[in-house]
Amino acid sequence: MTSSVTPARLRTLFRPRGVALVGASEKSHFSASVHRNLHAFGHGAHTHVVNRRGGTVHGQSAVTSCTAIGEEIDVAFVMVPQAGMHDALSDAAAAGIRNAVILSAGYAETGATGRAAQAELVAHARELDLLLLGPNHLGFANFVDGIPVTSIPGLPRTSGEIALLSQSGASTGAMLDFAALSDTGLSHLVTLGNEAMITAGHVLDYLVDDEATRAVAVYMESVREPETFRRAAARATAAGKAVVVLKTGTSELAGRSAAAHTGALVGDDRIVDAVFRQCGVIRVDTIEEMLLTSGLTARTGPLDADATGIGVVSISGGACGIIADRAADAGLSLPALHPDTEQALAAVMPAYGTVQNPLDLTGAAIIDPSLFPKSITTVADDPAVGAVVVINGLPSFGEGPWTGQRFLDAVGEGAARASRPVIPVSQILQPVTAYTRAALDHAGLPYALPGLKHAATALAGLVRWSRAHHDLAAAKGEPAPAGTAFTVPARADRHGAWSESAARGLLTAAGVPLVPATLATSATEAVAAAEGFNGPVALKVVSPQIAHKSDIGGVRLDVHGLDAVRHAHDAVRDAARRVPGATVEGVLVSPMRRGGTELLAGVVRDEHWGPVLAVGLGGVLTEVLKDTALAPLPVTPAQVRELLLGLRGAPLLLGARGSVPADLDAVANAVAALGNLALALAEDLEALEINPLRVDGSTVEAMDALVTWRRH
């Protein structure tokens, strides 16, 4: 029988009726901690200790096997050595237990021997119809139902709206500490370990339907079962639940560390970034950003589709400058205010104030706190503003009523009347203490973001996620469909090396525009082709074995005159004959092109994520500037257009320095057609590339093409 990781199965794991602590021992710190947690949360009556010697463990009578418990148990928390693991799982399954949380280490994270042991562990669990969480982790806690099946100490005793998933058990303590400092309440905590069966994607998919969870924070070093994670993340985004990921592995050293920690490859980080963007995942760099961003999105939900700009109202002019700078760093839009908004603000602001976004209320707000609600509601009504940030002081410590309470109360009044979400922000990264909470409660404010830099990062994530939410909600959480069907070569022909001429045939069938060209098998045919083009031509040798024709002298450009064409034809063929093993199909003759912008468009198959599109500046600039954008397939023309506009070289396509603006729709259609072709060729394709794709106003044409196949 095969265990299936479904939300229904995970519900029995994360909401267990009873827990068996298998291998419970007085000598084990982990055993004592998980036992203490379960009793502290009131789950002691349904917690059973299992020790093969029996006796008393943690002040509780131990049974010698799970089958002796005599009560319905949903989870076995297994703490036995690797040598006894299979017997322990068999005993649990015999008792009707269907989920095992495996603390023990020494599996895939230790190398080849450990990977083999983990594979045997999974195979044994599947035979028993057991679902495994771990191994090499510290368990989970369901704070909503008060069931902490974990050895992590210092757990919060109240629940919130953020689920925290972590591949690192040891780092989870720091995450819990900051969650408490920032007043970020948790619905669940799940440490994942090696993810031998249950991956982050499976847990995320379960949490999408969990009513208590409004956002999910994930610390990960690698993405196991990438397609499972991608689909779950897209589904979460479409449902209005943000997925905020702190993923390490951007450096070579971090990648090696991650592989050593969990025994998994990190993969190409740029492709991970592209996948995250496509499915609406907010990627962050620190624990603080992960938890603050999760908390913000849970409290605001997605911003309106027609207004995702951020308006800022501040008691401090200095803070206006800082937030403006940090917003620019984070790619956060602080839009100019509408003339009607400016006029309404000018009517309430002092004459010496400047009406703009960010808005400095000046010291006039100290004299007249009503400036807060007046300005907050006015900025909230601006058509470009999706949320209003209010920068004001917050207390952390004190006795008795806070002296600045009346100003915070005025912010609360504005928030209650505003048509958009209002987000209080303090200037420094300060703890949200009981004293802070009392001040916020008095003002009717449910939360606050501490620190201007962290606030800018969180807000930028909120805006990007809101846009992705509306896109994916319209698509019901699924990626864009591929374009119309077309004829592709039979699978039997998809192998070996293909020449440029053969690659051109593929592109033509898919509807990708190409520069006109004629394949000449003799000098006479080359001359006839050149006459037909009525102007200077380019000649390229065509050989399946020669991918980089310029490197061997197999290209001649700007050839004028029929004698010159004949000479160029013979020269490129002679160059090809000097390449060992090269078979020459002929010489490609095409009209010479000048001007325009050269792009690269290509698809490669990533071993983790499947076919990935790359688009960027092409020709000689490909290697020099390395300005490319990536996206997993499929993609729509609209998504390609967004990729193009995100390039550093985008101004070249928009008419920089008096050049002709490119027809971006035509470019996007051509690149999307390339992506559709790559999908149609399925797993047979290794790589498909156009370099360059020449763009000159409304003229878009592939100048060179390369296709390579996987072995099969």
Side-chain angles (χ1 to χ4, degrees):
M1 187 177 292
T2 301
S3 295
S4 178
V5 186
T6 64
R9 279 296 296 270
L10 291 180
R11 194 170 296 112
T12 67
L13 168 65
F14 294 129
R15 304 183 68 180
R17 292 167 293 182
V19 178
L21 305 183
V22 180
S25 169
E26 294 286 357
K27 298 179 181 179
S28 169
H29 162 76
F30 297 106
S31 178
S33 293
V34 66
H35 186 271
R36 184 165 50 248
N37 281 338
L38 284 162
H39 277 260
F41 276 73
H43 204 71
H46 302 289
T47 298
H48 303 268
V49 292
V50 182
N51 184 296
R52 59 179 180 158
R53 296 185 180 88
T56 300
V57 180
H58 309 317
Q60 186 174 344
S61 294
V63 295
T64 57
S65 72
C66 291
T67 54
I69 292 174
E71 179 184 320
E72 288 187 309
I73 303 295
D74 289 316
V75 171
F77 189 85
V78 186
M79 300 169 282
V80 303
Q82 204 176 106
M85 186 63 69
H86 285 212
D87 288 342
L89 294 184
S90 295
D91 174 53
I97 299 173
R98 302 186 68 203
N99 305 291
V101 176
I102 300 181
L103 175 81
S104 307
Y107 288 95
E109 79 280 4
T110 63
T113 302
R115 287 193 293 272
Q118 184 165 302
E120 292 176 3
L121 176 70
V122 170
H124 185 59
R126 285 179 173 152
E127 289 176 359
L128 299 170
D129 193 27
L130 268 174
L131 206 56
L132 302 184
L133 182 62
N136 183 31
H137 74 134
L138 298 177
F140 71 88
N142 174 348
F143 297 113
V144 177
D145 297 309
I147 310 174
V149 189
T150 177
S151 58
I152 297 172
L155 299 174
R157 300 301 294 273
T158 58
S159 66
E161 300 174 320
I162 312 302
L164 173 59
L165 316 183
S166 177
Q167 286 180 349
S168 171
S171 296
T172 305
M175 298 174 194
L176 290 174
D177 286 344
F178 188 76
L181 284 172
S182 60
D183 194 30
T184 303
L186 302 179
S187 63
H188 296 78
L189 165 65
V190 183
T191 65
L192 298 158
N194 291 5
E195 299 180 87
M197 288 180 72
I198 300 173
T199 68
H202 293 123
V203 181
L204 176 57
D205 193 47
Y206 164 78
L207 291 167
V208 173
D209 299 318
D210 181 67
E211 293 182 359
T213 300
R214 296 194 61 188
V216 183
V218 187
Y219 169 81
M220 58 171 43
E221 297 163 352
S222 58
V223 185
R224 292 183 180 86
E225 294 198 23
E227 183 60 17
T228 299
F229 182 85
R230 188 195 66 79
R231 287 191 175 275
R235 197 166 80 87
T237 299
K241 294 187 179 185
V243 180
V244 184
V245 175
L246 167 56
K247 185 188 177 299
T248 60
T250 59
S251 66
E252 180 182 353
L253 179 59
R256 292 203 306 268
S257 298
H261 184 202
T262 62
L265 296 175
V266 172
D268 189 317
D269 195 68
R270 289 192 65 215
I271 295 178
V272 171
D273 253 349
V275 173
F276 283 2
R277 283 194 302 272
Q278 188 186 68
C279 56
V281 169
I282 305 171
R283 188 170 185 180
V284 295
D285 297 325
T286 67
I287 290 172
E288 295 89 342
E289 292 173 356
M290 177 179 70
L291 290 167
L292 291 175
T293 304
S294 301
L296 174 64
T297 59
R299 284 151 171 161
T300 64
L303 304 181
D304 285 353
D306 57 350
T308 56
I310 301 297
V312 179
V313 175
S314 174
I315 191 63
S316 164
C320 287
I322 295 171
I323 195 71
D325 286 345
R326 299 294 74 79
D329 293 343
L332 172 65
S333 171
L334 302 181
L337 299 174
H338 190 275
D340 291 346
T341 307
E342 292 181 342
Q343 184 177 355
L345 288 171
V348 298
M349 284 285 291
Y352 52 83
T354 301
V355 175
Q356 61 182 13
N357 185 24
L359 178 66
D360 175 16
L361 295 183
T362 74
I366 304 298
I367 301 170
D368 179 13
S370 71
L371 272 179
F372 278 106
K374 292 175 183 176
S375 59
I376 290 169
T377 54
T378 301
V379 172
D381 289 338
D382 189 279
V385 170
V388 181
V389 164
V390 182
I391 303 172
N392 190 53
L394 283 177
S396 290
F397 307 101
E399 295 181 1
W402 178 44
T403 57
Q405 187 67 53
R406 66 190 184 113
F407 306 115
L408 195 60
D409 289 349
V411 174
E413 180 186 346
R417 290 164 41 192
S419 58
R420 302 290 192 187
V422 173
I423 304 159
V425 172
S426 63
Q427 295 195 52
I428 60 173
L429 187 62
Q430 64 190 95
V432 180
T433 64
Y435 192 70
T436 314
R437 185 70 267 157
L440 289 168
D441 288 345
H442 190 280
L445 295 168
Y447 67 99
L449 275 177
L452 295 175
K453 184 178 188 302
H454 288 89
T457 301
L459 289 160
L462 169 65
V463 170
R464 292 195 303 273
W465 167 70
S466 297
R467 292 169 179 161
H469 159 73
H470 293 295
D471 290 342
L472 286 171
K476 298 183 180 179
E478 290 298 319
T484 56
F486 43 84
T487 303
V488 294
R491 288 208 66 188
D493 297 328
R494 303 180 202 172
H495 62 84
W498 276 32
S499 68
E500 180 184 350
S501 179
R504 283 175 60 90
L506 271 179
L507 296 178
T508 299
V512 178
L514 293 102
V515 65
T518 299
L519 180 64
T521 58
S522 67
T524 300
E525 290 183 2
V527 169
E531 282 186 301
F533 291 129
N534 193 30
V537 294
L539 291 89
K540 295 182 286 184
V541 70
V542 178
S543 170
Q545 291 78 33
I546 303 174
H548 302 288
K549 298 174 280 291
S550 297
D551 294 348
I552 59 99
V555 179
R556 291 291 186 273
L557 302 177
D558 205 17
V559 180
H560 296 257
L562 301 184
D563 288 342
V565 169
R566 187 181 300 276
H567 176 75
H569 169 273
D570 294 343
V572 297
R573 287 192 72 107
D574 288 344
R577 291 191 187 100
R578 293 192 291 271
V579 177
T583 302
V584 178
E585 295 179 359
V587 173
L588 209 60
V589 183
S590 59
M592 190 65 199
R593 300 299 200 208
R594 293 183 176 83
T597 301
E598 293 186 345
L599 298 177
L600 160 74
V603 176
V604 294
R605 180 168 293 280
D606 180 78
E607 62 177 313
H608 303 289
W609 298 101
V612 178
L613 171 73
V615 61
L617 293 179
V620 296
L621 295 179
T622 300
E623 294 298 324
V624 176
L625 297 183
K626 302 184 185 302
D627 184 18
T628 56
L630 305 178
L633 296 178
V635 293
T636 63
Q639 290 170 326
V640 174
R641 199 176 197 278
E642 187 175 341
L643 293 175
L644 293 168
L645 291 174
L647 296 171
R648 295 193 306 276
L652 295 174
L653 297 171
L654 298 176
R657 302 179 69 95
S659 61
V660 178
D663 183 342
L664 289 181
D665 289 337
V667 180
N669 287 333
V671 175
L674 180 74
N676 293 337
L677 172 60
L679 284 177
L681 296 172
E683 295 186 0
D684 296 324
L685 182 71
E686 180 178 72
L688 179 62
E689 179 182 302
I690 299 172
N691 189 15
L693 178 68
R694 177 177 172 271
V695 181
D696 188 7
S698 60
T699 300
V700 179
E701 52 190 5
M703 304 294 288
D704 200 350
L706 175 68
V707 60
T708 57
W709 303 101
R710 303 176 78 185
R711 295 180 182 272
H712 66 80

